Every structure is written in C-alpha cells, then in structure tokens.
Amino acid sequence: MDDSREAETNLRGVSVVVLPLPAFGHLNQLLHLARLLSARGVAVHYAGSATHNRQVRDRARGWRPDATIHFHDFPLPPFASPEPDPRAAVKFPAHLQPAFDAAVHLRQPLAALLRSLAAPSRRVVLIHDSAMSFAAALAASLPGVEAFSFHSVSAFAVLLYLWESCGKQLEDLVVGKLNLAVVTNDGCFTDEFLGFLRRQHQMTGADSGRLLNTCRSIEGPFIDLLKEEPRWREQKTFAVGPLNPIVVADDGTSCRHECLEWLDQQPPSSVVYVSFGTTSSLSDEQVAELAAGLQASGQRFIWVLRDADRADIYADEGSSDHTSLDKLLSNYNKAVHRSGRVVRGWAPQLEILAHRSTGGFMSHCGWNSCMESLSMGVPIMAWPIHSDQPRNTLLVTHVLGTGVLVRDWAKRNELTPATAIRDSILRLMIGEEGKEVQRRAKAVGQAVRKAMAEGGSSKADLDAFIAYITS
Ligand code: UDX
C-alpha cells in the first residue's frame, strides 16, 4: 500500500473531540486546530455551546474552511464575565470563574458524545483546554477514550506556573536577556491561583500528553525545560503552533472591513495597530491618554476600542451606550481622520497584522496576539494587563527582542500618561532601537513560518501527533 492510501486507511475510525474553555481567546485556538486536523482528513467534533460556537465561527471566519467539522451545540446557562481589573490583577483572575462554573454543565453532554463515538470508533481522542481539567477525569473513566490537554498560553508561562505552583526556586538561568530568577515574586499569581493551577495539573495526570500552541523558534529553551519536568517526561508533548493561519486569502470582496481599505492606501510598515484583546477594557481616563499619545506620536494608526460591556458575548453587538467615551471620541475622530482609524468593537486582526502597511502592534500581549504578531513578523509595543500577559511581555521584550515596553507590569496601578505612550511608539517606529527590534521581528517571523511549513518543527510535531492518534 502506498503512503497516502495507508494514511487514509489509518484515519478511518478515529474521532477527535476538541473541548475549549468558553472564552474567545481559547475558543479560537481550538477552532484553528480543529480546522488543521480536519484538513488532514481527521474526523473532528467541536464541543461547545450554541452561542460560543456561533461566535467563534463568525469571528474566526474565512482563511480555512470548517465545513467538515462537526459542531456540537451543548446547552450552557448564559453567564457574564466581569472585566479583569488591572488594579486587581494580583488576585485570582475572577473573570474566568463564571466560565469555569458554567463549563461544568458541559460534562454530561460531553460524556454522552464520547460514549456515542466510542462504540463505532476505533479510537476516540479528546483534546481539552488545560483549564477544562474535569474533562481529563471524565475521559479517564470512559473505556476507549484517550485525552490530551491543550495549552492556550505560552510554554514560558506554563513553565513558570509549574515551577511556582510546586514552590520551586526559580533558577539562575539566563535565556536571551532574561534571568529567570528575577521573574519570581512579581505579583503575577497569588497563592490561590497557584493552588488552582496545581490542582489542574494533577487532574491531567491521566492524559496521554499535551499539545502546546507554540513553536521551537519562539520558545525552544522553555519547551525543552518543560519536557524535563517529571510528569512531562512520561507523557507525549507536541509543540504544534502557531495555529493561526499566516496567508490571507484576500478575495477582494465587498465584505472587507473598511479599515483594510484605508490600510491599503498607507505606505509599507507605517501603521501602528492598537488592540487589547477580548477581555480587557481601559478606563475612560486611560482611553483619553491613549488617544492623546497616539495623536502626539504623529504616526498612522488603527485603534480597536473595545467597550467594557461587550465583555458579555450575550450582549447585543453594537448596542452599547458609552456617552462619555462617545463624547471624548467625537472630535478626536475628526482631528485624526487623515492619520488614524478608531474601530469600535471588532476588527479583522489577522488581516491587519498580515497587511504590508502594518509596522507595529500595541498589545496587551494575550497569547493569541503574541503568536499572530510573531508569525507575521510584526514587532510589539507591550502593555500587559492581567493573567499570563506580563510573562508573555518578558518573552517578547527580553527573550526574543521583538518588542518594546509601553507600561511596566510593576506600574499596573498607575495611569500610563500620553507621553509614555507616544515615546514607546516613537522608539519602535522611528528610533534606532526600533530598527533593531523590527529586524528581529522579521527574522523571528521568518523562523516561525519555516517551523509551520514542510520540514519545520511545528509541522513535524503536528504530523507526529496525527501519526500517533491514527496509528
Ligand atoms: C485571553 C487572555 O487574556 C490571554 O492572556 C490569554 O493568553 C488567552 O486568552 P484575550 O485577552 O482575548 O485572551 O487576548 P488574545 O489572546 O490576544 O486573543 C484575542 C483574539 O481575538 C486574537 O486571536 C485576535 O486576533 C482576536 N481579535 C481581537 C480580533 O480578531 N479582533 C479584535 O478586534 C480583537
């Protein structure tokens, strides 16, 4: 039998179920993975609620089809996630608690799905978000079901979670310009949060292994350190990221976002893209400073301004009423009309980052944003707000040298003034230091895309994972 016929035969009777945490930054990563696996002929089932499945398909649309993925719309009680408050960020990330509480309702329908697939399938593989550890215990209790956890944060963040939650003294180990010993006690995680992570880690003990959404060219040293951890040594680890597509299929249709049309008119690498992900909003006071800082920089920009009440995906898109913000922005839009675009709500981030006119990304350093930016070779102006973001910031600035800092994590309680915002933009976009950071970002981008292509480490790990589950 030739290789392709053999691979096709092996795929028969294998079912993969992916279970994301119901929060957008996690939903989209497993959708990207589901699309990659289904493109390779694997039968994939995406398990979530109707609302979340609709949202993620709508927002992460295009680029790769998901026609062959089986979406399962499980009932889930509506829940609202509070805004993670930067000043309270040292506490357990309370914004995740409603998602954790709601997600438990997925246990029963998930069990029913896994049982129904186990009977006719040769093999059932559950890939669950590492924060959905109840699913690991469930899989272990079902005959014929094997589980892998999926880490939706950086290997660096996972490593530090592990070390800190085990009370391990961080080693005097230098990676890039970062000595790991100085990272400890930075107020990123409380004892309560570390206890939560420890329990999560223990619950995934029965898993066959893990998938990491990262790649060796970004995090090789940290992936190696993780593989030396006692439990990881016994389990399989596949570093398959970045999962986001890197080639934009721009079909030039009328549904292109207006900001892309504007971007088309700008010179190469001249535009600063500003976005803080899907969980954080800035105070009106901070928005005013950011507006002033962007304008004072004299640089072109696209700024995605997310309204706080959009944190709840059940809120009606576009129905928010932010009188003070609207007032603040009414004249601003006219003033910056020639140099900038303010997008209220949602922008096509991947297309913006892939666009030749984009020259820098002011970001909160959520892991998706980091991976998307690194894979497109776009340097970052880092402004960490909560959770793993301070750690991702260190990775981008100190380890990879692909970013500059807007606001230090240690100053999270303070308002970041317009002057600091302006200065960080100028450092990256026109300063000497910026040239080197841009050069590094381009080089890292090339290395990441190589890792994703045939012969690269991430492609090889994805192949190895598929070979394992279909063997
Ligand atoms: C959350 C956590 O905050 C983050 O720390 C963790 O690493 C992942 O989960 P979030 O805050 O949403 O993520 O940030 P990020 O990880 O950057 O994900 C945002 C995603 O939404 C990206 O894929 C980005 O491309 C997309 N996005 C966001 C858009 O496409 N358009 C927008 O306007 C805003």
Side-chain angles (χ1 to χ4, degrees):
M1 206 176 342
D2 68 30
D3 284 356
S4 61
R5 286 281 304 284
E6 190 181 342
E8 204 177 297
T9 308
N10 288 347
L11 282 169
R12 265 184 228 133
V14 176
S15 298
V16 170
V17 177
V18 300
L19 178 74
L21 177 78
F24 185 78
H26 298 245
L27 291 162
N28 61 344
Q29 298 189 36
L30 275 175
L31 180 62
H32 287 316
L33 178 66
R35 286 172 172 169
L36 280 173
L37 292 174
S38 85
R40 299 282 296 271
V42 180
V44 187
H45 299 259
Y46 188 95
S49 74
T51 314
H52 290 97
N53 289 353
R54 190 181 58 242
Q55 185 206 38
V56 72
R57 293 177 76 179
D58 185 41
R59 286 183 169 178
R61 66 175 166 262
W63 295 38
R64 283 191 197 119
D66 51 29
T68 56
I69 300 171
H70 307 273
F71 285 89
H72 296 269
D73 295 345
F74 295 152
L76 194 67
F79 65 92
S81 302
E83 281 288 302
D85 179 348
R87 284 152 303 175
V90 290
K91 310 235 169 63
F92 179 86
H95 65 286
L96 286 177
Q97 196 57 49
F100 290 145
D101 294 343
V104 172
H105 293 269
L106 298 175
R107 184 198 299 263
Q108 240 182 351
L110 176 69
L113 174 66
L114 292 170
R115 278 199 199 95
S116 74
L117 292 169
S121 302
R122 182 163 65 82
R123 194 169 188 174
V124 177
V125 177
L126 171 68
I127 304 174
H128 63 87
D129 192 293
S130 61
M132 302 281 272
S133 50
F134 74 83
L138 174 66
S141 72
L142 296 173
V145 180
E146 174 173 8
F148 281 81
S149 56
F150 175 83
H151 289 275
S152 39
V153 296
S154 60
F156 178 47
V158 177
L159 182 75
L160 294 177
Y161 288 159
L162 271 183
W163 284 359
E164 289 179 64
S165 65
C166 304
K168 182 169 169 171
Q169 194 60 41
L170 295 192
E171 288 170 25
D172 210 13
L173 178 69
V174 179
V175 185
K177 288 184 184 158
L178 180 70
N179 186 339
L180 294 195
V182 305
V183 181
T184 194
N185 295 327
D186 61 1
C188 206
F189 301 118
T190 56
D191 289 346
E192 189 188 16
F193 189 49
L194 291 171
F196 162 79
L197 293 168
R198 196 162 42 240
R199 286 192 298 281
Q200 296 268 323
H201 186 58
Q202 279 157 3
M203 284 171 80
T204 57
D207 283 353
S208 296
R210 315 177 155 71
L211 295 164
L212 298 172
N213 186 8
T214 187
C215 76
R216 297 202 63 81
S217 28
I218 299 176
E219 297 203 275
F222 301 120
I223 295 170
D224 289 340
L225 284 167
L226 274 173
K227 284 183 171 176
E228 284 167 22
E229 286 297 306
R231 190 176 289 155
W232 289 57
R233 260 182 297 195
E234 294 148 25
Q235 295 173 320
K236 296 178 194 320
T237 299
F238 302 95
V240 296
L243 297 170
N244 58 273
I246 45 165
V247 179
V248 193
D250 181 3
D251 58 4
T253 57
S254 55
C255 52
R256 264 185 112 218
H257 196 282
E258 183 272 338
C259 73
L260 294 173
E261 304 292 328
W262 178 80
L263 210 45
D264 288 344
Q265 314 304 317
Q266 311 309 317
S269 305
S270 67
V271 176
V272 174
Y273 170 58
V274 184
S275 174
F276 298 98
T278 64
T279 57
S280 313
S281 299
L282 304 175
S283 65
D284 286 3
E285 206 183 4
Q286 187 63 78
V287 166
E289 295 294 325
L290 178 52
L294 283 168
Q295 192 173 7
S297 78
Q299 300 297 298
R300 297 172 172 83
F301 65 87
I302 293 178
W303 172 17
V304 188
L305 187 53
R306 180 178 169 276
D307 297 339
D309 61 357
R310 286 173 192 269
D312 177 8
I313 70 158
Y314 297 92
D316 187 13
E317 294 275 345
S319 69
S320 59
D321 173 26
H322 273 269
T323 323
S324 53
L325 252 189
D326 289 340
K327 224 158 131 187
L328 186 143
L329 287 169
S330 62
N331 290 331
Y332 186 71
N333 274 326
K334 282 182 212 136
V336 299
H337 184 69
R338 292 174 72 82
S339 62
R341 284 287 178 279
V342 181
V343 177
R344 297 293 288 275
W346 194 255
Q349 178 161 311
L350 278 166
E351 282 88 342
I352 292 171
L353 290 173
H355 200 286
R356 64 175 180 86
S357 300
T358 302
F361 181 12
M362 187 178 291
S363 169
H364 67 317
C365 288
W367 189 232
N368 291 282
S369 292
C370 290
M371 291 290 273
E372 290 163 9
S373 203
L374 290 168
S375 60
M376 311 286 186
V378 176
I380 290 178
M381 286 151 274
W383 183 332
I385 293 178
H386 65 89
S387 305
D388 54 326
Q389 297 155 18
R391 301 291 157 83
N392 299 338
T393 295
L394 285 172
L395 182 71
V396 164
T397 55
H398 288 60
V399 178
L400 297 170
T402 56
V404 299
L405 209 55
V406 179
R407 189 206 57 173
D408 197 336
W409 172 240
K411 294 189 175 164
R412 58 191 172 278
N413 292 335
E414 299 168 22
L415 190 75
T416 308
T419 46
I421 296 165
R422 176 201 63 198
D423 292 350
S424 66
I425 296 172
L426 296 179
R427 267 172 71 201
L428 184 79
M429 298 299 281
I430 57 175
E432 272 311 305
E433 179 194 358
K435 284 198 185 103
E436 174 57 16
V437 175
Q438 287 173 25
R439 192 194 61 73
R440 292 266 328 135
K442 282 207 171 66
V444 169
Q446 266 167 12
V448 172
R449 291 192 295 278
K450 212 167 148 191
M452 297 163 85
E454 200 58 50
S457 65
S458 294
K459 172 71 169 46
D461 269 23
L462 185 66
D463 289 347
F465 175 67
I466 294 174
Y468 172 77
I469 62 171
T470 58
S471 60

